[in-house]
Amino acid sequence: MAIIFQFLFTCICFGSTTNGDIEKRYSRKLQSYGTIYVDPSIQTNFSNIQAAIDSVPSHNKKWISISVKAGIYNEQVIIPQEKPFIYLKGEGIGKTSVVWGAHDSMSTSATFASYADNTVVSGITFVKCSIQVNVGIIRPKSTGYITAHARTQPNEPNGFVFKECNVSGIGKTYLGRAWRAYSRVIYYHSFLSDIVVPLGWHAWNYVGQEDNIVFSEDGCQGPGSDKSNRVKWEKDVSPELPLSFTSYSYIDTEGWIGNLPLKLSGE
């Protein structure tokens, strides 16, 4: 699956490499493509993003651009599997924003999800307001977990990175637990309120295998960011690691970005 995300608050944030940098690094044969416009102020255009996506023919085989005018779009955006080759572009990070506040299951609550191959998204901020923990409301005597990452092998390049997030809520919570043996989660330059328990992390079913788990915090602030009583196996990672997760290189190990036949916005 080929997806570029540029987020404000999400698990992984890509944005430290500009599209202009991509153009300098790669040369490619560009391809012309049709454009669908999303602009609530004009009746002849689509007023929301999902309606524009729904208008793309199923099993499409040619790139289609969906150009989204600056503004705040209060909607959930889903690109289904049968609608590949969509280039969804806004007018810039912080200018075109999608806001959604669902809090049900992982499979149904995402602000943005793409199940299709060949999806490119740029110039759009997907806002997740902040991380609000509600375990104190649902189960007052329980302790919650913000993350449960499922990395199964040491060579898997994935991980959760929370960049510039605000973690608050009601109750007490761990920053994360290991769902699989090589779980990897990083909180980067985020505010952690006092809902975070002093230990911070939980090995869950992988006690004794903590050396394989990468849980880390870098440059965080707030009463919950005190690491003096954290689990001893929390990792001190180099500053380069969080930065590597927030650049295009993280998702471009096979060079597919440079082979896209598109002129990305900002180039």
PDB file of all heavy atoms in Angstrom, residues 124-157:
ATOM      1  N   ILE A 124      -2.771  18.569   3.997  1.00  0.00           N
ATOM      2  CA  ILE A 124      -3.971  18.469   4.822  1.00  0.00           C
ATOM      3  C   ILE A 124      -3.572  18.119   6.248  1.00  0.00           C
ATOM      4  O   ILE A 124      -2.733  17.241   6.468  1.00  0.00           O
ATOM      5  CB  ILE A 124      -4.956  17.409   4.288  1.00  0.00           C
ATOM      6  CG1 ILE A 124      -5.469  17.791   2.898  1.00  0.00           C
ATOM      7  CG2 ILE A 124      -6.133  17.226   5.246  1.00  0.00           C
ATOM      8  CD1 ILE A 124      -6.419  16.777   2.297  1.00  0.00           C
ATOM      9  N   THR A 125      -4.159  18.804   7.217  1.00  0.00           N
ATOM     10  CA  THR A 125      -3.955  18.484   8.624  1.00  0.00           C
ATOM     11  C   THR A 125      -5.141  17.668   9.118  1.00  0.00           C
ATOM     12  O   THR A 125      -6.280  18.105   9.010  1.00  0.00           O
ATOM     13  CB  THR A 125      -3.830  19.772   9.463  1.00  0.00           C
ATOM     14  OG1 THR A 125      -2.680  20.507   9.019  1.00  0.00           O
ATOM     15  CG2 THR A 125      -3.665  19.441  10.937  1.00  0.00           C
ATOM     16  N   PHE A 126      -4.864  16.477   9.642  1.00  0.00           N
ATOM     17  CA  PHE A 126      -5.899  15.646  10.253  1.00  0.00           C
ATOM     18  C   PHE A 126      -5.800  15.851  11.758  1.00  0.00           C
ATOM     19  O   PHE A 126      -4.835  15.421  12.390  1.00  0.00           O
ATOM     20  CB  PHE A 126      -5.710  14.176   9.883  1.00  0.00           C
ATOM     21  CG  PHE A 126      -5.908  13.914   8.424  1.00  0.00           C
ATOM     22  CD1 PHE A 126      -4.845  13.983   7.539  1.00  0.00           C
ATOM     23  CD2 PHE A 126      -7.166  13.620   7.924  1.00  0.00           C
ATOM     24  CE1 PHE A 126      -5.014  13.750   6.185  1.00  0.00           C
ATOM     25  CE2 PHE A 126      -7.349  13.372   6.576  1.00  0.00           C
ATOM     26  CZ  PHE A 126      -6.277  13.453   5.702  1.00  0.00           C
ATOM     27  N   VAL A 127      -6.798  16.534  12.328  1.00  0.00           N
ATOM     28  CA  VAL A 127      -6.732  16.968  13.722  1.00  0.00           C
ATOM     29  C   VAL A 127      -7.390  15.936  14.620  1.00  0.00           C
ATOM     30  O   VAL A 127      -8.566  15.625  14.459  1.00  0.00           O
ATOM     31  CB  VAL A 127      -7.417  18.334  13.902  1.00  0.00           C
ATOM     32  CG1 VAL A 127      -7.312  18.784  15.350  1.00  0.00           C
ATOM     33  CG2 VAL A 127      -6.772  19.366  12.973  1.00  0.00           C
ATOM     34  N   LYS A 128      -6.692  15.510  15.612  1.00  0.00           N
ATOM     35  CA  LYS A 128      -7.219  14.613  16.641  1.00  0.00           C
ATOM     36  C   LYS A 128      -7.121  15.292  17.995  1.00  0.00           C
ATOM     37  O   LYS A 128      -6.837  14.625  18.983  1.00  0.00           O
ATOM     38  CB  LYS A 128      -6.450  13.298  16.658  1.00  0.00           C
ATOM     39  CG  LYS A 128      -6.739  12.411  15.482  1.00  0.00           C
ATOM     40  CD  LYS A 128      -8.144  11.882  15.440  1.00  0.00           C
ATOM     41  CE  LYS A 128      -8.414  10.791  16.435  1.00  0.00           C
ATOM     42  NZ  LYS A 128      -9.737  10.196  16.306  1.00  0.00           N
ATOM     43  N   CYS A 129      -7.768  17.155  17.869  1.00  0.00           N
ATOM     44  CA  CYS A 129      -7.949  18.078  19.015  1.00  0.00           C
ATOM     45  C   CYS A 129      -6.890  17.826  20.053  1.00  0.00           C
ATOM     46  O   CYS A 129      -6.012  18.555  20.291  1.00  0.00           O
ATOM     47  CB  CYS A 129      -9.341  17.903  19.603  1.00  0.00           C
ATOM     48  SG  CYS A 129     -10.677  18.199  18.414  1.00  0.00           S
ATOM     49  N   SER A 130      -6.640  16.525  20.625  1.00  0.00           N
ATOM     50  CA  SER A 130      -5.767  16.023  21.707  1.00  0.00           C
ATOM     51  C   SER A 130      -6.165  14.583  22.014  1.00  0.00           C
ATOM     52  O   SER A 130      -7.111  14.060  21.457  1.00  0.00           O
ATOM     53  CB  SER A 130      -5.934  16.888  22.965  1.00  0.00           C
ATOM     54  OG  SER A 130      -7.267  16.854  23.411  1.00  0.00           O
ATOM     55  N   ILE A 131      -5.355  13.888  22.910  1.00  0.00           N
ATOM     56  CA  ILE A 131      -5.671  12.537  23.366  1.00  0.00           C
ATOM     57  C   ILE A 131      -6.386  12.648  24.703  1.00  0.00           C
ATOM     58  O   ILE A 131      -5.813  13.087  25.700  1.00  0.00           O
ATOM     59  CB  ILE A 131      -4.402  11.687  23.505  1.00  0.00           C
ATOM     60  CG1 ILE A 131      -3.710  11.553  22.148  1.00  0.00           C
ATOM     61  CG2 ILE A 131      -4.735  10.309  24.059  1.00  0.00           C
ATOM     62  CD1 ILE A 131      -2.365  10.876  22.223  1.00  0.00           C
ATOM     63  N   GLN A 132      -7.668  12.287  24.726  1.00  0.00           N
ATOM     64  CA  GLN A 132      -8.472  12.377  25.941  1.00  0.00           C
ATOM     65  C   GLN A 132      -8.748  10.975  26.476  1.00  0.00           C
ATOM     66  O   GLN A 132      -9.398  10.164  25.821  1.00  0.00           O
ATOM     67  CB  GLN A 132      -9.796  13.088  25.639  1.00  0.00           C
ATOM     68  CG  GLN A 132      -9.644  14.547  25.265  1.00  0.00           C
ATOM     69  CD  GLN A 132      -9.243  15.408  26.450  1.00  0.00           C
ATOM     70  OE1 GLN A 132      -9.654  15.150  27.584  1.00  0.00           O
ATOM     71  NE2 GLN A 132      -8.437  16.416  26.197  1.00  0.00           N
ATOM     72  N   VAL A 133      -8.251  10.703  27.645  1.00  0.00           N
ATOM     73  CA  VAL A 133      -8.436   9.399  28.274  1.00  0.00           C
ATOM     74  C   VAL A 133      -9.721   9.405  29.101  1.00  0.00           C
ATOM     75  O   VAL A 133      -9.950  10.330  29.887  1.00  0.00           O
ATOM     76  CB  VAL A 133      -7.229   9.061  29.177  1.00  0.00           C
ATOM     77  CG1 VAL A 133      -7.459   7.750  29.922  1.00  0.00           C
ATOM     78  CG2 VAL A 133      -5.959   8.979  28.342  1.00  0.00           C
ATOM     79  N   ASN A 134     -10.568   8.394  28.929  1.00  0.00           N
ATOM     80  CA  ASN A 134     -11.854   8.369  29.653  1.00  0.00           C
ATOM     81  C   ASN A 134     -12.013   7.144  30.545  1.00  0.00           C
ATOM     82  O   ASN A 134     -13.121   6.819  30.960  1.00  0.00           O
ATOM     83  CB  ASN A 134     -13.018   8.448  28.662  1.00  0.00           C
ATOM     84  CG  ASN A 134     -13.070   7.247  27.724  1.00  0.00           C
ATOM     85  OD1 ASN A 134     -12.236   6.354  27.794  1.00  0.00           O
ATOM     86  ND2 ASN A 134     -14.054   7.234  26.841  1.00  0.00           N
ATOM     87  N   VAL A 135     -10.893   6.471  30.859  1.00  0.00           N
ATOM     88  CA  VAL A 135     -10.996   5.265  31.680  1.00  0.00           C
ATOM     89  C   VAL A 135     -11.582   5.574  33.053  1.00  0.00           C
ATOM     90  O   VAL A 135     -12.280   4.750  33.662  1.00  0.00           O
ATOM     91  CB  VAL A 135      -9.611   4.592  31.828  1.00  0.00           C
ATOM     92  CG1 VAL A 135      -8.632   5.485  32.594  1.00  0.00           C
ATOM     93  CG2 VAL A 135      -9.735   3.232  32.508  1.00  0.00           C
ATOM     94  N   GLY A 136     -11.355   6.789  33.566  1.00  0.00           N
ATOM     95  CA  GLY A 136     -11.892   7.157  34.871  1.00  0.00           C
ATOM     96  C   GLY A 136     -13.394   7.275  34.897  1.00  0.00           C
ATOM     97  O   GLY A 136     -14.014   7.230  35.965  1.00  0.00           O
ATOM     98  N   ILE A 137     -13.984   7.434  33.709  1.00  0.00           N
ATOM     99  CA  ILE A 137     -15.448   7.505  33.599  1.00  0.00           C
ATOM    100  C   ILE A 137     -16.044   6.118  33.410  1.00  0.00           C
ATOM    101  O   ILE A 137     -17.015   5.737  34.058  1.00  0.00           O
ATOM    102  CB  ILE A 137     -15.850   8.423  32.431  1.00  0.00           C
ATOM    103  CG1 ILE A 137     -15.326   9.846  32.655  1.00  0.00           C
ATOM    104  CG2 ILE A 137     -17.363   8.429  32.253  1.00  0.00           C
ATOM    105  CD1 ILE A 137     -15.567  10.766  31.482  1.00  0.00           C
ATOM    106  N   ILE A 138     -15.417   5.355  32.530  1.00  0.00           N
ATOM    107  CA  ILE A 138     -15.958   4.033  32.186  1.00  0.00           C
ATOM    108  C   ILE A 138     -15.662   3.007  33.269  1.00  0.00           C
ATOM    109  O   ILE A 138     -16.532   2.243  33.695  1.00  0.00           O
ATOM    110  CB  ILE A 138     -15.367   3.571  30.837  1.00  0.00           C
ATOM    111  CG1 ILE A 138     -15.765   4.544  29.729  1.00  0.00           C
ATOM    112  CG2 ILE A 138     -15.855   2.165  30.491  1.00  0.00           C
ATOM    113  CD1 ILE A 138     -15.117   4.252  28.407  1.00  0.00           C
ATOM    114  N   ARG A 139     -14.404   2.978  33.749  1.00  0.00           N
ATOM    115  CA  ARG A 139     -13.989   2.023  34.787  1.00  0.00           C
ATOM    116  C   ARG A 139     -13.142   2.764  35.814  1.00  0.00           C
ATOM    117  O   ARG A 139     -11.908   2.745  35.738  1.00  0.00           O
ATOM    118  CB  ARG A 139     -13.200   0.872  34.175  1.00  0.00           C
ATOM    119  CG  ARG A 139     -14.014   0.035  33.192  1.00  0.00           C
ATOM    120  CD  ARG A 139     -13.168  -1.041  32.554  1.00  0.00           C
ATOM    121  NE  ARG A 139     -13.924  -1.841  31.616  1.00  0.00           N
ATOM    122  CZ  ARG A 139     -13.390  -2.798  30.849  1.00  0.00           C
ATOM    123  NH1 ARG A 139     -12.097  -3.054  30.922  1.00  0.00           N
ATOM    124  NH2 ARG A 139     -14.151  -3.482  30.010  1.00  0.00           N
ATOM    125  N   PRO A 140     -13.764   3.422  36.768  1.00  0.00           N
ATOM    126  CA  PRO A 140     -13.045   4.292  37.702  1.00  0.00           C
ATOM    127  C   PRO A 140     -11.900   3.625  38.451  1.00  0.00           C
ATOM    128  O   PRO A 140     -10.931   4.289  38.823  1.00  0.00           O
ATOM    129  CB  PRO A 140     -14.146   4.746  38.658  1.00  0.00           C
ATOM    130  CG  PRO A 140     -15.409   4.618  37.872  1.00  0.00           C
ATOM    131  CD  PRO A 140     -15.214   3.430  36.998  1.00  0.00           C
ATOM    132  N   LYS A 141     -11.989   2.322  38.690  1.00  0.00           N
ATOM    133  CA  LYS A 141     -10.949   1.636  39.459  1.00  0.00           C
ATOM    134  C   LYS A 141      -9.871   1.014  38.572  1.00  0.00           C
ATOM    135  O   LYS A 141      -8.929   0.397  39.094  1.00  0.00           O
ATOM    136  CB  LYS A 141     -11.595   0.557  40.336  1.00  0.00           C
ATOM    137  CG  LYS A 141     -12.534   1.104  41.400  1.00  0.00           C
ATOM    138  CD  LYS A 141     -13.087  -0.008  42.265  1.00  0.00           C
ATOM    139  CE  LYS A 141     -14.032   0.543  43.337  1.00  0.00           C
ATOM    140  NZ  LYS A 141     -14.575  -0.532  44.210  1.00  0.00           N
ATOM    141  N   SER A 142      -9.997   1.162  37.273  1.00  0.00           N
ATOM    142  CA  SER A 142      -9.042   0.555  36.346  1.00  0.00           C
ATOM    143  C   SER A 142      -7.993   1.561  35.886  1.00  0.00           C
ATOM    144  O   SER A 142      -8.168   2.772  36.006  1.00  0.00           O
ATOM    145  CB  SER A 142      -9.783   0.003  35.124  1.00  0.00           C
ATOM    146  OG  SER A 142     -10.692  -1.008  35.488  1.00  0.00           O
ATOM    147  N   THR A 143      -6.906   1.036  35.347  1.00  0.00           N
ATOM    148  CA  THR A 143      -5.861   1.849  34.727  1.00  0.00           C
ATOM    149  C   THR A 143      -5.859   1.563  33.233  1.00  0.00           C
ATOM    150  O   THR A 143      -5.856   0.395  32.816  1.00  0.00           O
ATOM    151  CB  THR A 143      -4.477   1.522  35.317  1.00  0.00           C
ATOM    152  OG1 THR A 143      -4.515   1.750  36.728  1.00  0.00           O
ATOM    153  CG2 THR A 143      -3.404   2.408  34.706  1.00  0.00           C
ATOM    154  N   GLY A 144      -5.874   2.605  32.421  1.00  0.00           N
ATOM    155  CA  GLY A 144      -5.978   2.424  30.982  1.00  0.00           C
ATOM    156  C   GLY A 144      -4.621   2.355  30.295  1.00  0.00           C
ATOM    157  O   GLY A 144      -3.561   2.480  30.910  1.00  0.00           O
ATOM    158  N   TYR A 145      -4.681   2.149  28.966  1.00  0.00           N
ATOM    159  CA  TYR A 145      -3.498   2.125  28.118  1.00  0.00           C
ATOM    160  C   TYR A 145      -3.787   2.979  26.888  1.00  0.00           C
ATOM    161  O   TYR A 145      -4.779   2.731  26.192  1.00  0.00           O
ATOM    162  CB  TYR A 145      -3.155   0.701  27.664  1.00  0.00           C
ATOM    163  CG  TYR A 145      -2.967  -0.287  28.786  1.00  0.00           C
ATOM    164  CD1 TYR A 145      -4.037  -1.058  29.246  1.00  0.00           C
ATOM    165  CD2 TYR A 145      -1.724  -0.454  29.387  1.00  0.00           C
ATOM    166  CE1 TYR A 145      -3.874  -1.971  30.268  1.00  0.00           C
ATOM    167  CE2 TYR A 145      -1.547  -1.374  30.418  1.00  0.00           C
ATOM    168  CZ  TYR A 145      -2.626  -2.124  30.852  1.00  0.00           C
ATOM    169  OH  TYR A 145      -2.460  -3.028  31.869  1.00  0.00           O
ATOM    170  N   ILE A 146      -2.928   3.944  26.607  1.00  0.00           N
ATOM    171  CA  ILE A 146      -3.150   4.784  25.433  1.00  0.00           C
ATOM    172  C   ILE A 146      -2.805   4.033  24.152  1.00  0.00           C
ATOM    173  O   ILE A 146      -3.490   4.169  23.144  1.00  0.00           O
ATOM    174  CB  ILE A 146      -2.338   6.084  25.535  1.00  0.00           C
ATOM    175  CG1 ILE A 146      -2.853   6.926  26.702  1.00  0.00           C
ATOM    176  CG2 ILE A 146      -2.422   6.891  24.238  1.00  0.00           C
ATOM    177  CD1 ILE A 146      -2.041   8.171  26.964  1.00  0.00           C
ATOM    178  N   THR A 147      -1.743   3.223  24.185  1.00  0.00           N
ATOM    179  CA  THR A 147      -1.320   2.511  22.974  1.00  0.00           C
ATOM    180  C   THR A 147      -1.145   1.029  23.255  1.00  0.00           C
ATOM    181  O   THR A 147      -0.910   0.609  24.386  1.00  0.00           O
ATOM    182  CB  THR A 147       0.026   3.056  22.440  1.00  0.00           C
ATOM    183  OG1 THR A 147       1.050   2.779  23.414  1.00  0.00           O
ATOM    184  CG2 THR A 147      -0.046   4.540  22.180  1.00  0.00           C
ATOM    185  N   ALA A 148      -1.238   0.248  22.166  1.00  0.00           N
ATOM    186  CA  ALA A 148      -0.914  -1.178  22.187  1.00  0.00           C
ATOM    187  C   ALA A 148      -0.372  -1.511  20.803  1.00  0.00           C
ATOM    188  O   ALA A 148      -1.118  -1.871  19.904  1.00  0.00           O
ATOM    189  CB  ALA A 148      -2.144  -2.013  22.528  1.00  0.00           C
ATOM    190  N   HIS A 149       0.929  -1.343  20.643  1.00  0.00           N
ATOM    191  CA  HIS A 149       1.527  -1.498  19.314  1.00  0.00           C
ATOM    192  C   HIS A 149       1.896  -2.954  19.047  1.00  0.00           C
ATOM    193  O   HIS A 149       2.354  -3.666  19.927  1.00  0.00           O
ATOM    194  CB  HIS A 149       2.775  -0.614  19.193  1.00  0.00           C
ATOM    195  CG  HIS A 149       3.349  -0.616  17.818  1.00  0.00           C
ATOM    196  ND1 HIS A 149       4.580  -1.123  17.527  1.00  0.00           N
ATOM    197  CD2 HIS A 149       2.829  -0.175  16.635  1.00  0.00           C
ATOM    198  CE1 HIS A 149       4.812  -0.994  16.225  1.00  0.00           C
ATOM    199  NE2 HIS A 149       3.771  -0.425  15.675  1.00  0.00           N
ATOM    200  N   ALA A 150       1.720  -3.380  17.786  1.00  0.00           N
ATOM    201  CA  ALA A 150       1.877  -4.792  17.431  1.00  0.00           C
ATOM    202  C   ALA A 150       3.011  -5.010  16.437  1.00  0.00           C
ATOM    203  O   ALA A 150       2.783  -5.427  15.306  1.00  0.00           O
ATOM    204  CB  ALA A 150       0.565  -5.339  16.869  1.00  0.00           C
ATOM    205  N   ARG A 151       4.220  -4.736  16.838  1.00  0.00           N
ATOM    206  CA  ARG A 151       5.398  -5.009  15.988  1.00  0.00           C
ATOM    207  C   ARG A 151       5.936  -6.390  16.358  1.00  0.00           C
ATOM    208  O   ARG A 151       6.305  -6.648  17.493  1.00  0.00           O
ATOM    209  CB  ARG A 151       6.443  -3.920  16.228  1.00  0.00           C
ATOM    210  CG  ARG A 151       7.679  -3.975  15.360  1.00  0.00           C
ATOM    211  CD  ARG A 151       8.437  -2.652  15.516  1.00  0.00           C
ATOM    212  NE  ARG A 151       9.750  -2.656  14.912  1.00  0.00           N
ATOM    213  CZ  ARG A 151      10.890  -2.748  15.607  1.00  0.00           C
ATOM    214  NH1 ARG A 151      10.837  -2.833  16.934  1.00  0.00           N
ATOM    215  NH2 ARG A 151      12.043  -2.724  15.001  1.00  0.00           N
ATOM    216  N   THR A 152       6.009  -7.293  15.380  1.00  0.00           N
ATOM    217  CA  THR A 152       6.321  -8.696  15.683  1.00  0.00           C
ATOM    218  C   THR A 152       7.756  -9.094  15.402  1.00  0.00           C
ATOM    219  O   THR A 152       8.212 -10.126  15.900  1.00  0.00           O
ATOM    220  CB  THR A 152       5.397  -9.625  14.867  1.00  0.00           C
ATOM    221  OG1 THR A 152       5.590  -9.366  13.468  1.00  0.00           O
ATOM    222  CG2 THR A 152       3.937  -9.384  15.230  1.00  0.00           C
ATOM    223  N   GLN A 153       8.486  -8.296  14.603  1.00  0.00           N
ATOM    224  CA  GLN A 153       9.857  -8.637  14.235  1.00  0.00           C
ATOM    225  C   GLN A 153      10.763  -7.415  14.399  1.00  0.00           C
ATOM    226  O   GLN A 153      10.316  -6.278  14.183  1.00  0.00           O
ATOM    227  CB  GLN A 153       9.926  -9.127  12.781  1.00  0.00           C
ATOM    228  CG  GLN A 153       9.110 -10.383  12.481  1.00  0.00           C
ATOM    229  CD  GLN A 153       9.628 -11.606  13.215  1.00  0.00           C
ATOM    230  OE1 GLN A 153      10.821 -11.707  13.488  1.00  0.00           O
ATOM    231  NE2 GLN A 153       8.738 -12.532  13.530  1.00  0.00           N
ATOM    232  N   PRO A 154      12.064  -7.613  14.715  1.00  0.00           N
ATOM    233  CA  PRO A 154      12.949  -6.467  14.937  1.00  0.00           C
ATOM    234  C   PRO A 154      13.231  -5.654  13.689  1.00  0.00           C
ATOM    235  O   PRO A 154      13.607  -4.482  13.781  1.00  0.00           O
ATOM    236  CB  PRO A 154      14.236  -7.113  15.475  1.00  0.00           C
ATOM    237  CG  PRO A 154      14.199  -8.523  14.981  1.00  0.00           C
ATOM    238  CD  PRO A 154      12.751  -8.900  14.961  1.00  0.00           C
ATOM    239  N   ASN A 155      13.066  -6.267  12.516  1.00  0.00           N
ATOM    240  CA  ASN A 155      13.352  -5.543  11.267  1.00  0.00           C
ATOM    241  C   ASN A 155      12.133  -4.850  10.676  1.00  0.00           C
ATOM    242  O   ASN A 155      12.209  -4.224   9.624  1.00  0.00           O
ATOM    243  CB  ASN A 155      13.942  -6.496  10.222  1.00  0.00           C
ATOM    244  CG  ASN A 155      13.009  -7.654   9.888  1.00  0.00           C
ATOM    245  OD1 ASN A 155      12.092  -7.955  10.631  1.00  0.00           O
ATOM    246  ND2 ASN A 155      13.273  -8.315   8.773  1.00  0.00           N
ATOM    247  N   GLU A 156      10.985  -4.927  11.336  1.00  0.00           N
ATOM    248  CA  GLU A 156       9.802  -4.218  10.857  1.00  0.00           C
ATOM    249  C   GLU A 156       9.988  -2.724  11.103  1.00  0.00           C
ATOM    250  O   GLU A 156      10.312  -2.314  12.218  1.00  0.00           O
ATOM    251  CB  GLU A 156       8.538  -4.714  11.561  1.00  0.00           C
ATOM    252  CG  GLU A 156       8.134  -6.119  11.163  1.00  0.00           C
ATOM    253  CD  GLU A 156       6.858  -6.560  11.861  1.00  0.00           C
ATOM    254  OE1 GLU A 156       6.207  -5.709  12.505  1.00  0.00           O
ATOM    255  OE2 GLU A 156       6.524  -7.750  11.780  1.00  0.00           O
ATOM    256  N   PRO A 157       9.772  -1.876  10.086  1.00  0.00           N
ATOM    257  CA  PRO A 157      10.088  -0.449  10.219  1.00  0.00           C
ATOM    258  C   PRO A 157       8.987   0.397  10.852  1.00  0.00           C
ATOM    259  O   PRO A 157       9.089   1.612  10.893  1.00  0.00           O
ATOM    260  CB  PRO A 157      10.306  -0.026   8.758  1.00  0.00           C
ATOM    261  CG  PRO A 157       9.374  -0.911   7.989  1.00  0.00           C
ATOM    262  CD  PRO A 157       9.375  -2.231   8.709  1.00  0.00           C
TER     263      PRO A 157
END
